[in-house]
Amino acid sequence: MTRTRATTPGPDASLQFDSRGGLRHLLTLQGVMRTQVQALIERAEILRRESGGGTRPLDLLRGRTVINLFFEPSTRTRTSFDLAAKRLGAQVINFDIASSSTVKGETLLDTVHTLEAMHCDAFVVRHREAGTPEFVAASLRSRAAVLNAGDGNNAHPTQGLLDVMTLRRHRADFAPLRVVICGDIRHSRVARSDVHALRALGAGEIRLCAPRELAPAPEEFPGCIVRHDFDEAISGADVAIMLRLQKERMQDAAIPSEAEYFQRYGLSSARLKQARPDCLVMHPGPINRGVEIAADVADGPQSLILEQVANGVFMRMAVLAELLAPDRHAAIGA
Ligand code: CP
């Protein structure tokens, strides 16, 4: 696939927001206000109740068409967008890249314009190149919405939203929270979106912990504390968000062996004892047991990992409803 980038990665407020500051697309959480994050969480909770926890179909998006365009592998994000749209009554096309004309050389934009010509209301886009969802949004010929399902190391906004939604079910007040995010921060779109979401809700302290080779440029995360020693970083933490080593995005980073990495940066039950006794453990998945997290911690009583997955469906329902049916959406639970 070849294409020319029309825009550089990074948020473009004029694209993401309409003239009244409402969401037109969801490309990044940078610039999204506290009230908008709170409203999406409230909506996701209402949709959880209205749908009987996902057992009762709703018809908010009846007559709408959502196309999932995933150019990178996904289990959680793709399945939950699919379920979310269907549970709201939309038609969903899971575009199969491998059997599409993309393999004959059709460009991303020609693909998007072809699908637009058949009429669709939303594109859910995942791509290895940062900035692709923004590029698609800037190039549309219709009023379709673009939802970023993860672009390179840039952003994964629905993951950030579902993570703070999950956390808020356990901690109503974010102000006293000390949150440590540990792992491959440099290549992590989740870290970027989590930091934006946590900031929007006023998290008291955000510590980023990574080996030097995988640490971010400090100016990328102003206000966050950057550490390279996990024992120091996790001390007294209220929340530990663990990240996978994203080898698919590493070009030259010299990383230690998996065994050495686990010894220095893995969340074992012994290391978790250095955090607060009620420290919550999160991970966006997929997890690598014995690399960034021990199996007994991932499956243990402090782990919210599967709650994050479950909440992802309701948050994606909320985002789809907000972008595609804001008036009908507002009427539900009002
Ligand atoms: N958290 C996440 O994006 O997982 P998937 O790659 O399985 O979608």
Side-chain angles (χ1 to χ4, degrees), residues 70 73-78 126 149 156 159 189-190 244 283-286 316:
F70 278 62
S74 167
T75 296
R76 280 148 285 272
T77 313
R78 178 169 161 151
R126 171 171 286 194
H156 194 347
Q159 183 72 47
R189 54 198 177 208
V190 174
R244 181 174 66 85
H283 192 308
R316 286 167 182 134

Side-chain angles (χ1 to χ4, degrees), residues 16-31:
Q16 167 141 307
F17 300 105
D18 63 26
S19 56
R20 290 174 301 165
L23 281 178
R24 164 87 186 82
H25 304 284
L26 182 61
L27 306 174
T28 173
L29 295 183
Q30 195 165 359

